[in-house]
C-alpha cells in the first residue's frame, strides 16, 4: 500500500438518551474519524477518545493534535506499508496517545482488507459470523427507570446486562435488578470510582452472583486490584488499567484480574489487541470487547475483533439504535437473536454515508501524504 491522502473529521452525533457513568454524563457523541487512501481505495478508522479527559486522559482535541501534527509526518516519511501490523513500529517515536494511534491503524486495516477484498474478521482469524451482544446501562435517575430500561433491553434480546455503578448507586440498583431478573447475566462497571476503603460495599456486591466486577479501583492501579481480587468471589475484570499487552501481562502476573475487557482504542490499536488475545488464549483468560459509544465505523471494528476465538463473553457491542437515531455509516447494526451479524463485505463492511458525515462534521481537513 502506498498511502496518498489522510483526512480527519470531527463529528458530533446526538445520543438517543443521555449516558451517565461514575465520571459524568454525555448527551452527544463526539468522535474524530480518520480516512486513509491508497490505490484509489479509502479505509476508515474511528478514535474513541472522549470529549474531555474523564475515561482516559486522551480527548478528541489531543487526538486531533497528535494525528495532525505528529502521526501525519511519520506517515508522510514512510508512506509504504505491506501490512497494517507494521504501523505500530512506525509510530513508536510517539509515546502514549494510544487512542489517536489506534484510529489511524484501524483505517489502515480497513484499507488493507478492502484491497484484499476480504471482510476484516477473516484476515484477523475470526471464527464466528455473529457475536453475542450485551448492553451497558447508564446510571439512572431512580430504580423504577432502571428496571424499565433493563426490561426493555432484555425484551430486545441482549444477552448480558451491565450496570454502571458509583458510590451511592451500587447495592440498591444491583439488588433490584437481581431480584426482578434472577437468571440474567449481570455485571457492574465502576469506572474506577472506588478505593479499598469501600471494601464493605464491594463485599455486598459479591452477593448478587455477578459475572464480573469491572474496574472498581483506580484507573492506573494493578496492585490494589490484586489485593481486592483476593477478598472477593466475583471475578474482577479490568478495563481502564489495561492500556497495552505489557500491562495485561503485568495484571495477570499480579493476579489483578481474571477477565479482560479489550477495546482496540484503549490498548493502542488492533495489533496490540491481537497480542492481548494471544496472551489470553495461552493463559485461559476470557476476553470480551468493550464499547465506547462508537459510530458505525468503530462499532464495525469491534464486531470484527469479537469474532476471535478468545472472545468468549457477551460484548458491550449493542445495536446502533441503542445509541443513535442516525449513524454516519450504513447499514446500521441490528440485533438478531441476541447477536450482531458480522459484516461480510470487504474491510469493515460498512460504508460512510457522506451526506450524514458532512452534516455532523464540526471540522475536517485533508492532507496529501
Ligand atoms: C466502559 N463504555 O466500559 C465505557 C465507558 C464510557 C459502554 O460502558 C462517551 C464516550 C461517553 C465514551 C461513557 C460503556 C462514554 C464513553 C462511558 C465510554 O467503561
Ligand atoms: Mg468499563
Amino acid at each position: 500500500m502506498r498511502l496518498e491522502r489522510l483526512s480527519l473529521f470531527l463529528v458530533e452525533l446526538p445520543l438517543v438518551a443521555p449516558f451517565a457513568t461514575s465520571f459524568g454524563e454525555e448527551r452527544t457523541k463526539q468522535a474524530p474519524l480518520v480516512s486513509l487512501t491508497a490505490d484509489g481505495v479509502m479505509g476508515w478508522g474511528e478514535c474513541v477518545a472522549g470529549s474531555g479527559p474523564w475515561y482516559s486522559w486522551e480527548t478528541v482535541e489531543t487526538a486531533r493534535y497528535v494525528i495532525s501534527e505528529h502521526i501525519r509526518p511519520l506517515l508522510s516519511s514512510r508512506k509504504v506499508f505491506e501490512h497494517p501490523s507494521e504501523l505500530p513500529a512506525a509510530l513508536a517515536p510517539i509515546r502514549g496517545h494510544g487512542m489517536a494511534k489506534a484510529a489511524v491503524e484501524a483505517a489502515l486495516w480497513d484499507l488493507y482488507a478492502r484491497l484484499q477484498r476480504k471482510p476484516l474478521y477473516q484476515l484477523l482469524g475470526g471464527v464466528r459470523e455473529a457475536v453475542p451482544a450485551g448492553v451497558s446501562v447508564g446510571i439512572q435517575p431512580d430504580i423504577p427507570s432502571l428496571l424499565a430500561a433493563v426490561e426493555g433491553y432484555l425484551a430486545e434480546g441482549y444477552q448480558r446486562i451491565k450496570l454502571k455503578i458509583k458510590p451511592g448507586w451500587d447495592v440498591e440498583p444491583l439488588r433490584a435488578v437481581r431480584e426482578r431478573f434472577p437468571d440474567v447475566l449481570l455485571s457492574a462497571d465502576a469506572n474506577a470510582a472506588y478505593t479499598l476503603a469501600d471494601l464493605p460495599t464491594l463485599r455486598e456486591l459479591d452477593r448478587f452472583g455477578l459475572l464480573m466486577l469491572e474496574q472498581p479501583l483506580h484507573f492506573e492501579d494493578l496492585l490494589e486490584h490484586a489485593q481486592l481480587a483476593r477478598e472477593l468471589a466475583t471475578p474482577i475484570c479490568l478495563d481502564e488499567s489495561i492500556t497495552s499487552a505489557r500491562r495485561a501481562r503485568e495484571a495477570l502476573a499480579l493476579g489483578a484480574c481474571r477477565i479482560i475487557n479489550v477495546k482496540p482504542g484503549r490498548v493502542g490499536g488492533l495489533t496490540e489487541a491481537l497480542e492481548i488475545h494471544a496472551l489470553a488464549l495461552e493463559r485461559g483468560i476470557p476476553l470480551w470487547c468493550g464499547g465506547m459509544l462508537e459510530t458505525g465505523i468503530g462499532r464495525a471494528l469491534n464486531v470484527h475483533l469479537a469474532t476471535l476465538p478468545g472472545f468468549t463473553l457477551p460484548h458491550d457491542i449493542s445495536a446502533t439504535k441503542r445509541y443513535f437515531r442516525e449513524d454516519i455509516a450504513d447499514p446500521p447494526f441490528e440485533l438478531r437473536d441476541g447477536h450482531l451479524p458480522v459484516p461480510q463485505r470487504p474491510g469493515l463492511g460498512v460504508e460512510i454515508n457522506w451526506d450524514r458525515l458532512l452534516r455532523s462534521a464540526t471540522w475536517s481537513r485533508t492532507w496529501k501524504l
Side-chain angles (χ1 to χ4, degrees), residues 237-307:
C237 170
L238 289 178
D239 175 355
E240 283 92 328
S241 293
I242 307 297
T243 50
S244 62
R246 243 173 235 287
R247 294 243 82 198
R249 234 172 268 121
E250 290 168 357
L252 297 182
L254 291 166
C257 63
R258 278 197 269 158
I259 300 172
I260 298 175
N261 163 335
V262 179
K263 295 173 179 170
R266 192 200 66 232
V267 304
L270 198 50
T271 301
E272 196 76 8
L274 295 176
E275 195 176 329
I276 294 174
H277 175 258
L279 174 72
L281 272 187
E282 181 190 306
R283 308 286 173 86
I285 295 292
L287 301 179
W288 55 283
C289 184
M292 294 291 281
L293 284 55
E294 290 90 347
T295 76
I297 299 297
R299 193 169 302 275
L301 182 71
N302 290 347
V303 168
H304 286 278
L305 176 62
T307 64

Side-chain angles (χ1 to χ4, degrees), residues 55 162 164 189 191 214-215 239-240 261 263 316:
Y55 169 86
K162 169 171 121 180
K164 300 304 253 185
D189 184 0
N191 289 111
E214 184 176 340
Q215 196 72 40
D239 175 355
E240 283 92 328
N261 163 335
K263 295 173 179 170
D316 267 356

